[in-house]
Amino acid sequence: MTTKPLPPHGSLSRRKHHGCKCWDCCEALRAYSRQRYAALSAGTWEPFVDAEPVRRHLLRLHAAGISTTQVSILTGLPRRTITVFIKPSLDRGNLRQRKRSTRREVADKILAIPAEKRMAAIVPAIGTQRRIQALAAMGWPQEKVAERAGLGGKYMNQVLKQQRVLGRTATAIARLYDEVSGSKAERLGIRTVSAKRARARATANRWAPPTYWAKFPGAIDDPHFTSLYKVTQAELLAEEADWLVTTVGLTRAEAAIRLGKDKSYIDRVLGPTDMRKAA
């Protein structure tokens, strides 16, 4: 039996329907709540929109060579959510009619994908994500990256959360990265306050700048390369200790000997545990 994959972290669905309480998922719920309350106060709250424009756009995407599966990958939406815009389906033995209305956020994600044949190719997202993060470390806000790369802002919001991206997106971001990564963002028209905010975000998330990636040719696109930017020796040791205990099956005392540390140090970095397993 195939297990249905969970929605990505940072999505409203993962927080509301799957109970994830990580920072990204909680922030997605907070952002949704702020938007909802503001719209309610303004009398503009319309969570559902007509599905017909979405259906027509999906047909244009299909004509451009972008399959339903590719749309699912790019939006993070289940394939089943997408197919019901186009045709009826069976739901637990009952005929489920084609969608007539949909949530605005679902429509926005689908409508944000340009219906261009050259965008049908999909590539791993890791290099694109690292370049966006590195540009943030240089002071480039995400919306300015999208603007300079000629990409839609709404689609850009999904790029950092996806495992794959459109080939056109990867090419556009790589081109922009090569053009501007050697200069401070302020010198290229980015407002100081926006640049500071982007750098603060990058610092909080330990996003490596272009100077770091320049030390490892080809690593920025390598999914097997793990960035150790700003990772301390203590954190590396704690990660290795955790691996020895949880994966290898050593006791904390044995892990301490393997790492050349006192057991008290291992207890401190790993935190409290069942004393019967700590020996």
Side-chain angles (χ1 to χ4, degrees):
M1 181 178 178
T2 302
T3 302
K4 182 180 179 181
L6 294 176
H9 286 292
S11 64
L12 183 63
S13 177
R14 180 118 182 188
R15 176 66 186 93
K16 290 183 68 176
H17 303 302
H18 300 277
C20 180
K21 296 182 180 180
C22 76
W23 190 93
D24 286 339
C25 290
C26 289
E27 180 58 26
L29 179 60
R30 286 191 289 269
Y32 170 79
S33 297
R34 288 194 296 268
Q35 181 183 16
R36 177 176 179 271
Y37 293 146
L40 284 171
S41 299
T44 59
W45 176 243
E46 296 180 0
F48 292 94
V49 296
D50 184 12
E52 183 59 20
V54 179
R55 186 184 76 84
R56 293 178 181 175
H57 190 65
L58 284 170
L59 293 175
R60 287 193 291 269
L61 292 174
H62 181 73
I66 304 174
S67 68
T68 302
T69 299
Q70 289 172 317
V71 173
S72 176
I73 292 171
L74 293 170
T75 59
L77 298 170
R79 187 175 181 275
R80 181 181 178 186
T81 298
I82 298 165
T83 56
V84 293
F85 281 102
I86 303 173
K87 58 184 180 181
S89 64
L90 287 176
D91 185 7
R92 298 179 183 177
N94 298 317
L95 183 64
R96 185 181 181 187
Q97 295 299 318
R98 197 177 74 198
K99 268 186 176 293
R100 302 299 177 186
S101 63
T102 185
R103 288 196 172 275
R104 184 178 298 277
E105 59 267 25
V106 172
D108 287 345
K109 288 179 180 180
I110 295 174
L111 293 172
I113 303 174
E116 301 176 8
K117 290 184 178 180
R118 60 179 177 170
M119 299 185 68
I122 291 180
V123 299
I126 187 69
T128 301
Q129 292 168 343
R130 285 170 172 171
R131 286 180 175 87
I132 294 171
Q133 293 166 355
L135 289 174
M138 296 292 292
W140 283 85
Q142 184 175 314
E143 61 273 15
K144 290 299 181 180
V145 172
E147 181 182 316
R148 288 289 292 264
L151 302 171
K154 291 180 179 179
Y155 171 55
M156 280 291 293
N157 290 332
Q158 301 299 315
V159 172
L160 292 177
K161 305 172 185 178
Q162 299 171 175
Q163 293 185 343
R164 302 180 188 179
V165 295
L166 292 168
R168 175 179 177 271
T169 299
T171 300
I173 295 298
R175 185 182 298 116
L176 176 64
Y177 180 84
D178 291 340
E179 290 175 357
V180 307
S181 60
S183 303
K184 290 186 64 175
E186 291 90 335
R187 294 176 183 173
L188 297 174
I190 304 301
R191 295 173 57 220
T192 300
V193 64
S194 299
K196 286 183 177 180
R197 190 179 299 118
R199 292 190 187 102
R201 183 187 182 194
T203 299
N205 288 283
R206 300 186 190 184
W207 289 345
T211 51
Y212 175 85
W213 292 111
K215 299 176 183 177
F216 308 99
I220 197 168
D221 291 303
D222 186 355
H224 303 294
F225 180 87
T226 300
S227 171
L228 298 180
Y229 180 71
K230 294 294 185 180
V231 178
T232 66
Q233 188 64 34
E235 289 171 326
L236 290 174
L237 194 60
E239 184 176 341
E240 188 170 358
D242 181 68
W243 179 77
L244 289 172
V245 172
T246 60
T247 303
V248 179
L250 300 183
T251 65
R252 292 192 174 196
E254 291 169 337
I257 295 172
R258 177 78 66 88
L259 296 173
K261 295 289 183 179
D262 292 333
K263 181 176 176 295
S264 59
Y265 178 86
I266 303 300
D267 288 336
R268 187 164 65 253
V269 298
L270 294 184
T273 188
D274 187 337
M275 294 307 295
R276 291 172 298 178
K277 299 179 181 179

